[in-house]
Amino acid sequence: QVQLVESGGGLVQAGDSLRLSCAASRRTFSMYGMGWFRQAPGKEREFVAGINWSGGSTGYADSVKGRFTISRDNAKNTVYLQMNSLKPEDTARYYCAAQTRDGTYYVRPGDYAYWGQGTQVTVSS
């Protein structure tokens, strides 16, 4: 069982920045692909960013490219999402997820076995 806990969300104004963190409970974290997803009320959960086991491969949704950066610190069992130039349309609950079958990331929520409870990000105009 992998426990994931997100933190760092909050209420900010458009143009501000936030740094989300996701702490994992197991040292085997270093073998997992990790993803950040978000879900707004009435919408499906969507892929935001992913990172492979080593951090050498990353991917982003088109809507956040150039603004968000995913990174990881395997020594701390933690993955991060640096969110810059936030827009109102970024408002959502943000979740981190662990893919334990191999070391890569995927863009579909169903490919991830473990999820955190999420952290709310609200961006006002």
Side-chain angles (χ1 to χ4, degrees), residues 69-89:
T69 303
I70 188 171
S71 61
R72 68 192 298 162
D73 187 340
N74 287 343
K76 297 181 178 179
N77 289 356
T78 302
V79 64
Y80 305 95
L81 186 68
Q82 179 66 46
M83 309 165 65
N84 297 328
S85 301
L86 283 162
K87 304 175 180 179
E89 50 262 47

Side-chain angles (χ1 to χ4, degrees), residues 32-80:
Y32 305 156
M34 298 293 296
W36 283 99
F37 294 77
R38 65 187 182 187
Q39 187 168 25
K43 297 183 179 180
E44 294 186 347
R45 189 168 299 185
E46 67 173 349
F47 173 80
V48 176
I51 190 166
N52 79 329
W53 67 273
S54 69
S57 179
T58 59
Y60 300 90
D62 288 342
S63 59
V64 307
K65 286 181 179 177
R67 299 188 297 119
F68 291 9
T69 303
I70 188 171
S71 61
R72 68 192 298 162
D73 187 340
N74 287 343
K76 297 181 178 179
N77 289 356
T78 302
V79 64
Y80 305 95

